[in-house]
Amino acid sequence: MKTYHTTVTRRDFMKALGLTGAGLTAAATVPSFVDLDDAISQGAVKRPWWARTVETPTTEVDWPNMKKFSEGNTMRGSAAKYMPTYIDQAETERRAALKKEVEDGYKADKKAGYTVRDYAFSGSAGQGAVSNSFMGPMKAKTPQQLGVAPWEGTKEENAAMLRTVLRFFGAMSVGFTELHEDTTMKLMYEKGPGNKQEYIFADVDEPSETATEQIFPRKCRWVVTIVNQESQELWKRNPTPLQVQIRYSRAQNIQEQFQEFMRSLGYLALSEGGNGTGIAPAFGVMSGLGEMGRMNRMITTEYGPTVGIFRYVTDMPLPDEKPIDAGFLRFCKTCMKCADACGEGAISFEKEPYWEVVGGWNNPGHRAWFEDSRKCRAYKMLPDSCNAGKCLSVCTFTKYEKAGVHGLVKAVSSTTPVFNGFFRNMDDIFYHDGLKDPATFWETPVPVYGIDGSIGLNTQ
């Protein structure tokens, strides 16, 4: 093996940012880089050095008072119940009519982002997915049908194998969580989308489902959580139709492939798909894939918040991985860029997260910046507002990973909050609101599938 010596001191690190003198003193808590040979000798590194593994998530959780939540109680499942408590039908219709009028004018004028090619792209980019099911297609041959013994490996071997295959199928990063009755089991939904099916863990050998229930064998004690990328080139074109959400269609393909892979090994991979099964951001946080931010969404170390998070429940023994502290929650206390971007005020400007839940669409038991999802939905009803997730589009951490300075910024902000305001100001100067001219989409070379598939290679 080649030997690489890359030891960088605090001073060299801060000089790379142009922060010396008084700033260097304030940044004394920034750790030194270690010799790369020492890092390699410690085994595979899954995350950047500045994302520290911790015992409890930076989002405080009151496990004794947390209860299972139902997906049908989210804004997705209960908009008809929640929205009239904010705007009435007349205001809903007024906003819809105004948006149609404005966008019809954009179409007539062939405004960038609203041309026929933009709509053609919008109508096709998220298509082509398969239909998922709880247990998967069940077409792949089982070990018995193949005439071989089921796969057996240690938890660590299993984790390495699943990371390899899931990245091959299209996932950016992968984490693992063991289900414990008094804690993480509470992150499983009580009922799925539309509250149509109750999720039940029972002493059975095989899973099953009816119109009202999904039965998980109690031996399925681990959750595999994946992150797949949205395209920054699309999200930066918010709020035009070009801002297509690709995470769902691609996650459907990943799920079917993964379920069949696990079947051929002799194991289960159970999932409602989409937004069902369990609270995806919570499982992502518990397995160390990111931290919750001000917009009440998970921010990843690799790609910021513009990601999709999905989960599968399995009986394959896996490590019970830990959360991380990457400094994102601390950064969000002073940044507020996402809150500034929402013209309806859906995102809190409070400096500190809080325990009091805003609305029945949020689940209690954790301390967060709870968003007002009614205002989020109402804002999107207006023209020139938000297609989906403008707050995520403008986030300071929604930047291409390969821009080296952003790695330095993340590293400093994770350990030295005194510079957070400075980095927010620099982001405003260099990127303004972070959005891009829709007309440039058709002139800009984009990576294959619109995402950077090399992200995470140095952290897996």
Side-chain angles (χ1 to χ4, degrees):
M1 182 182 71
K2 293 182 179 179
T3 301
Y4 302 93
H5 294 281
T6 313
T7 304
V8 181
T9 67
R10 291 185 183 90
R11 180 173 296 275
D12 290 338
F13 180 66
M14 298 307 292
K15 282 173 67 177
L17 286 170
L19 303 174
T20 54
L24 182 62
T25 302
T29 58
V30 177
S32 300
F33 284 85
V34 297
D35 188 284
L36 191 56
D37 295 319
D38 293 336
I40 292 173
S41 69
Q42 296 171 13
V45 179
K46 294 188 301 178
R47 304 180 183 96
W49 62 270
W50 42 266
R52 299 176 299 282
T53 299
V54 293
E55 289 298 316
T56 58
T58 53
T59 295
E60 296 178 64
V61 182
D62 183 2
W63 289 114
N65 290 320
M66 177 176 280
K67 297 180 180 179
K68 282 189 175 182
F69 196 63
S70 291
E71 204 284 334
N73 294 339
T74 65
M75 180 59 70
R76 289 185 299 268
S78 299
K81 172 184 176 181
Y82 298 133
M83 289 306 295
T85 65
Y86 180 62
I87 58 173
D88 59 20
Q89 186 61 29
E91 175 62 11
T92 299
E93 292 174 359
R94 185 194 72 81
R95 292 184 180 216
L98 177 60
K99 185 169 185 175
K100 183 178 185 306
E101 178 185 357
V102 171
E103 293 188 357
D104 282 349
Y106 291 162
K107 294 176 187 177
D109 294 339
K110 298 182 180 180
K111 181 178 178 179
Y114 298 88
T115 67
V116 64
R117 66 179 177 180
D118 299 321
Y119 280 102
F121 179 83
S122 176
S124 61
Q127 301 301 313
V130 299
S131 295
N132 290 147
S133 60
F134 176 52
M135 293 175 281
M138 301 181 70
K139 295 179 180 178
K141 291 184 177 180
T142 65
Q144 183 179 12
Q145 292 170 329
L146 291 169
V148 298
W151 163 265
E152 290 187 18
T154 66
K155 291 183 177 182
E156 291 70 26
E157 289 170 337
N158 294 343
M161 175 179 63
L162 297 195
R163 280 199 167 94
T164 295
V165 73
L166 281 164
R167 277 191 63 88
F168 188 87
F169 291 158
M172 180 184 73
S173 56
V174 185
F176 309 105
T177 305
E178 187 169 355
L179 293 173
H180 303 282
E181 288 295 331
D182 56 344
T183 55
T184 48
M185 181 63 83
K186 297 179 180 182
L187 304 180
M188 290 289 296
Y189 282 128
E190 183 176 29
K191 295 181 179 180
N195 291 344
K196 294 178 181 178
Q197 290 178 300
E198 184 178 2
Y199 298 147
I200 299 173
F201 282 77
D203 294 320
V204 296
D205 291 330
E206 298 297 329
S208 61
E209 68 175 327
T210 67
T212 59
E213 294 179 337
Q214 286 186 358
I215 308 297
F216 295 77
R218 207 176 297 279
K219 65 181 179 180
C220 294
R221 293 170 39 217
W222 292 271
V223 174
V224 180
T225 305
I226 70 164
V227 169
N228 73 4
Q229 302 173 36
E230 288 284 4
S231 170
Q232 286 199 24
E233 289 302 323
L234 300 183
W235 280 69
K236 292 295 186 180
R237 270 68 184 193
N238 207 325
T240 74
L242 284 172
Q243 197 255 302
V244 181
Q245 300 181 65
I246 61 175
R247 65 185 182 275
Y248 290 109
S249 60
R250 296 183 181 181
Q252 286 174 283
N253 291 323
I254 293 171
Q255 175 171 324
E256 180 172 281
Q257 291 174 309
F258 184 59
Q259 286 176 315
E260 293 294 80
F261 174 77
M262 295 293 278
R263 174 179 168 84
S264 289
L265 292 177
Y267 293 90
L268 298 168
L270 307 175
S271 179
E272 177 85 31
N275 294 306
T277 306
I279 305 174
F283 279 116
V285 167
M286 293 304 299
S287 60
L289 299 179
E291 285 184 77
M292 296 300 286
R294 177 173 292 275
M295 76 281 285
N296 206 19
R297 300 295 184 269
M298 191 181 82
I299 303 174
T300 67
T301 56
E302 303 90 349
Y303 219 57
T306 51
V307 297
I309 313 167
F310 304 90
R311 81 276 2 100
Y312 321 105
V313 183
T314 183
D315 55 341
M316 176 178 282
L318 292 163
D320 191 10
E321 297 189 320
K322 301 295 184 183
I324 60 170
D325 181 350
F328 293 145
L329 186 143
R330 288 190 298 276
F331 189 91
C332 288
K333 290 183 180 182
T334 55
C335 177
M336 303 190 188
K337 193 160 188 172
C338 58
D340 289 335
C342 182
E344 198 82 22
I347 300 176
S348 172
F349 280 96
E350 293 290 331
K351 180 178 180 181
E352 297 289 337
Y354 37 86
W355 291 100
E356 185 176 354
V357 175
V358 175
W361 52 85
N362 284 307
N363 61 312
H366 65 291
R367 190 180 180 208
W369 287 287
F370 294 103
E371 86 284 356
D372 191 329
S373 293
R374 301 169 305 171
K375 294 180 179 180
C376 173
R377 184 171 287 244
Y379 185 46
K380 289 186 285 189
M381 295 176 185
L382 293 169
D384 299 319
S385 56
C386 172
N387 187 6
K390 185 178 180 181
C391 50
L392 280 66
S393 301
V394 306
C395 176
T396 303
F397 294 108
T398 303
K399 301 291 185 296
Y400 282 114
E401 180 73 7
K402 286 186 177 179
V405 67
H406 297 306
L408 295 175
V409 168
K410 290 177 184 178
V412 175
S413 64
S414 73
T415 55
T416 314
V418 70
F419 293 111
N420 288 352
F422 169 78
F423 290 141
R424 158 66 201 266
N425 291 337
M426 290 300 98
D427 193 70
D428 288 345
I429 291 171
F430 287 109
Y431 298 101
H432 305 289
D433 61 7
L435 303 179
K436 294 184 178 181
D437 182 352
T440 63
F441 175 74
W442 297 103
E443 305 165 359
T444 305
V446 297
V448 175
Y449 291 121
I451 60 175
D452 184 353
S454 68
I455 287 179
L457 284 180
N458 63 329
T459 58
Q460 290 293 321

